[in-house]
Amino acid sequence: MFSKIYLSITEWLHTLTPVQIAIRIGVLILAVFIAKVIVTSLCKMIKKYLNYLKKPKCNDMVKTLKSHCSDYKILGFHCEWVTVKGKNRSVAMLQLCSPKAFCAIFRLWRMRRIPKSLKAVLEDENIIKVGVDIVLDAKKLATDYGIKVVGAFDLRYMALMTRRKPEDLDSMSLAILNVKLEKDYGFDYYWEAEELQEEETEYAASKAYACVEIFKSLAFELDPVDLHQFPNGNLSKSLFRLNISEFLDLHFGEWRKTTVQYSTILQSLEVYCPSDKCLLLAPDDEFVCLVDKSKGEWYLREQLGTQVDSEKFTIRLKFFPAFRAIGFYQQSNSQCYICGHPDGLLHKPVVPMDLREYFPVTFQLFTCRDVIFLCPRCLRLSHVSDFEMYNKLKKKSLARYSSDRFLRTKEAAKALLNGQASEENSQYCKALVSDYFKSCFDEQPEINQKVLEIVLGNRVTHSNYVAVKKFQAEPGGLRKLEKLWRDHFWSKYCPPSYSHQAMLLWSKDCEEHLQVQVC
């Protein structure tokens, strides 16, 4: 059969001229090429349609956001756009994050029309949208897309209410949440790309998430509540509406041009000062904290402050406390979580920073309130007790002696060598030096001048980046690492009240870490 077909084709070709044969071959090749293009295009269209079916719908995302705002009516708000040759293009995407760690990213530049449900939630005056420079972002949305945003609140007003420095979002995140919102400078962020990369999605979501967490942290400072009953704060109280309402939809800086005065932003702070305590004020007369009377007398002897009130033993410092720069002015009820001492001014993350700094930003934000406040004595004790945990991780090759720990040890060695350490602090410094030799050389030499000089002459450049990545790859991931450190803390110490225990719990409303959906 095949031989007959072959013979018929051969006879047919003999009847054609070379030019006719070439034309027919060209037509055949063109037909094959066109068929290939059509099939490829159909496959892409089918794939695109299937991806569209899998993608979350904008209306569903808005519905989730609104359901999360049923009790705590706050949404983190942030916008991104592309700048070309110094000129800003239209807003590329809008990020909204709920108090329950759900972030919706709306790629506005790709939408033919803005969904009515999205417009409705942005125009809902009962839901406060929080961010930095949020009013300018809202005006840009109105200019670019005709979207009206109602209830925009600039977080810098709340920074003033809590006696903090009003800064940009990155700086406030570092000062308040102890989280760095850094771009990966080895990655090219392009908000108008056809598909967002994982790095772009995570960075964009972290911005809106940080806005929510900053608001929640500052709201708690304004009105401390039982975190077990109100893990996200209690916005139903009139205190928040009273303080916030006059600054809604008001660009930061414009309030100075209105009748609003600075004194109306700061909450009046009536401080009860017992007879055995001293009330410390900053040079601008802002309340800092209560300290023992003996410590206040020491400030006077060292000429570090001046007494301004004898009835209430009150001292105005001649300098701004170092912790002011990172926003740790404390209310009068600040206590050490371990011993209950009123000088609980020092903060310590449950997971040490030499590990935590390598967590993904979204994970750091999720656990940003996993912080304990300690007095100087208990902070030193907790650092020493951490050696045990570090050694357990080291045996499993899950932690190294980092440069951060070595810097603390080097300062301790310097203090011992110069005789600057008190008797109590001297024991702490020696413990740091001993831990360094045990961790790095598996030795425990007697602490003397020679040993201290060895410490000062050495360098440690290790980090725990690889250790954190190992934990990420294991079952349980970073949550397992967080739990190990929390269990370690509770096994060593028993905080004085349940409200402190609640500070160390993840939000009851969040079963998972930050969830992100893109539309």
Side-chain angles (χ1 to χ4, degrees):
M1 179 180 176
F2 289 107
S3 58
K4 290 181 179 180
I5 293 172
Y6 175 75
L7 289 172
S8 61
I9 291 173
T10 305
E11 291 175 0
W12 176 68
L13 288 174
H14 280 292
T15 61
L16 300 176
T17 63
V19 175
Q20 291 175 323
I21 294 174
I23 291 172
R24 281 164 173 73
I25 292 174
V27 170
L28 181 62
I29 294 173
L30 182 61
V32 171
F33 176 76
I34 291 173
K36 184 180 178 182
V37 170
I38 291 172
V39 171
T40 304
S41 298
L42 284 172
C43 290
K44 285 183 178 180
M45 289 173 65
I46 293 170
K47 186 178 180 181
K48 195 172 183 180
Y49 179 71
L50 292 174
N51 288 336
Y52 170 77
L53 293 177
K54 291 179 183 178
K55 280 187 176 180
K57 304 296 187 296
C58 289
N59 290 338
D60 293 337
M61 291 161 60
V62 172
K63 187 177 179 180
T64 303
L65 287 172
K66 290 185 71 174
S67 67
H68 287 187
C69 293
S70 57
D71 298 322
Y72 200 79
K73 299 182 183 298
I74 293 293
L75 285 177
F77 181 104
H78 197 265
C79 293
E80 298 286 359
W81 56 80
V82 174
T83 302
V84 180
K85 295 181 180 180
K87 188 176 180 180
N88 294 334
R89 298 176 66 166
S90 297
V91 173
M93 62 189 194
L94 166 67
Q95 304 101 273
L96 297 176
C97 187
S98 78
K100 298 183 181 180
F102 172 78
C103 185
I105 298 178
F106 300 94
R107 307 197 69 194
L108 303 179
W109 76 280
R110 298 191 65 181
M111 295 180 179
R112 294 180 180 178
R113 59 180 179 273
I114 308 301
K116 291 182 179 179
S117 58
L118 177 57
K119 286 184 176 181
V121 78
L122 292 175
E123 293 175 4
D124 189 343
E125 61 181 10
N126 293 317
I127 299 177
I128 300 174
K129 296 84 185 175
V130 297
V132 176
D133 262 339
I134 184 173
V135 176
L136 293 183
D137 288 350
K139 288 180 179 178
K140 185 167 176 59
L141 280 175
T143 302
D144 295 342
Y145 299 100
I147 299 175
K148 185 180 180 182
V149 180
V150 179
F153 178 68
D154 199 311
L155 289 168
R156 289 174 292 184
Y157 287 122
M158 197 166 240
L160 289 179
M161 292 178 194
T162 53
R163 294 172 170 80
R164 293 173 180 271
K165 187 177 179 181
E167 301 175 290
D168 58 61
L169 180 58
D170 292 2
S171 300
M172 288 177 69
S173 176
L174 181 60
I176 298 166
L177 307 177
N178 211 21
V179 175
K180 292 182 180 179
L181 297 177
E182 291 185 339
K183 281 185 176 180
D184 182 355
Y185 289 101
F187 183 82
D188 185 21
Y189 292 81
Y190 185 59
W191 306 118
E192 293 185 1
E194 284 296 317
E195 293 290 335
L196 291 178
Q197 299 297 315
E198 183 180 350
E199 292 85 353
E200 292 169 321
T201 303
E202 182 173 317
Y203 177 75
S206 67
K207 288 280 190 174
Y209 192 12
C211 292
V212 173
E213 290 302 321
I214 289 172
F215 183 90
K216 285 158 66 174
S217 295
L218 297 184
F220 179 80
E221 286 189 20
L222 278 177
D223 183 34
V225 295
D226 182 354
L227 284 180
H228 180 64
Q229 185 179 359
F230 301 106
N232 289 320
N234 184 12
L235 261 194
S236 62
K237 296 185 70 172
S238 60
L239 170 69
F240 293 101
R241 290 288 176 180
L242 179 66
N243 285 319
I244 288 173
S245 59
E246 55 189 323
F247 302 108
L248 292 179
D249 303 312
L250 185 65
H251 175 52
F252 188 79
E254 290 181 358
W255 63 276
R256 296 181 186 276
K257 304 173 186 177
T258 68
T259 57
V260 179
Q261 301 297 320
Y262 184 81
S263 58
T264 64
I265 299 178
L266 292 175
Q267 285 290 296
S268 59
L269 189 61
E270 291 295 329
V271 181
Y272 168 69
C273 185
S275 58
D276 62 338
K277 297 293 181 181
C278 170
L279 194 154
L280 290 185
L281 300 178
D284 56 2
D285 284 338
E286 292 181 25
F287 169 70
V288 178
C289 63
L290 286 175
V291 297
D292 290 335
K293 195 170 184 178
S294 58
K295 183 178 287 188
E297 292 168 349
W298 177 82
Y299 276 109
L300 292 177
R301 285 199 307 271
E302 297 295 324
Q303 298 183 349
L304 297 174
T306 55
Q307 187 170 346
V308 294
D309 190 342
S310 56
E311 185 176 347
K312 284 184 180 180
F313 187 22
T314 305
I315 293 176
R316 182 190 294 123
L317 299 174
K318 294 182 179 179
F319 60 92
F320 285 104
F323 50 79
R324 183 185 196 226
I326 56 171
F328 274 88
Y329 270 16
Q330 295 297 308
Q331 301 286 349
S332 58
N333 60 351
S334 60
Q335 290 184 333
C336 174
Y337 282 12
I338 294 176
C339 68
H341 196 278
D343 284 353
L345 302 174
L346 303 172
H347 72 293
K348 178 180 185 286
V350 175
V351 177
M353 282 304 297
D354 63 331
L355 289 163
R356 191 172 183 270
E357 66 179 315
Y358 299 110
F359 287 8
V361 171
T362 50
F363 191 96
Q364 290 187 51
L365 286 168
F366 192 85
T367 58
C368 63
R369 286 184 289 174
D370 236 11
V371 173
I372 47 179
F373 287 82
L374 303 174
C375 66
R377 179 178 177 275
C378 289
L379 180 67
R380 292 193 292 267
L381 289 174
S382 69
H383 280 156
V384 173
S385 70
D386 286 349
F387 299 162
E388 180 184 334
M389 190 65 194
Y390 274 119
N391 288 331
K392 286 181 181 178
L393 294 175
K394 182 191 171 188
K395 289 177 182 178
K396 298 178 182 178
S397 300
L398 292 172
R400 304 183 71 180
Y401 194 90
S402 66
S403 56
D404 291 347
R405 289 172 66 190
F406 181 67
L407 287 175
R408 193 185 303 145
T409 302
K410 208 167 186 177
E411 289 297 321
K414 191 182 295 183
L416 289 171
L417 201 58
N418 296 336
Q420 296 174 341
S422 63
E423 183 177 349
E424 183 180 1
N425 197 36
S426 176
Q427 295 178 357
Y428 168 65
C429 292
K430 287 179 180 179
L432 288 176
V433 174
S434 295
D435 177 65
Y436 165 68
F437 278 93
K438 182 179 180 181
S439 299
C440 296
F441 308 107
D442 202 19
E443 298 176 0
Q444 284 190 305
E446 183 181 347
I447 307 301
N448 52 38
Q449 182 176 346
K450 183 180 178 182
V451 168
L452 296 176
E453 288 174 350
I454 290 174
V455 173
L456 293 176
N458 283 356
R459 292 181 61 192
V460 173
T461 58
H462 301 151
S463 76
N464 278 312
Y465 174 81
V466 175
V468 170
K469 293 303 176 186
K470 281 184 180 179
F471 258 101
Q472 272 187 284
E474 287 190 354
L478 295 177
R479 177 172 282 197
K480 178 182 176 183
L481 178 60
E482 186 90 11
K483 188 176 185 303
L484 285 173
W485 280 99
R486 190 183 293 107
D487 291 346
H488 166 72
F489 175 76
W490 290 116
S491 68
K492 296 292 180 183
Y493 308 105
C494 183
S497 71
Y498 186 78
S499 62
H500 292 161
Q501 183 177 357
M503 284 291 288
L504 294 170
L505 297 176
W506 278 303
S507 170
K508 300 287 185 183
D509 298 319
C510 299
E511 297 179 358
E512 300 294 336
H513 301 317
L514 177 67
Q515 297 178 1
V516 183
Q517 290 187 2
V518 183
C519 176

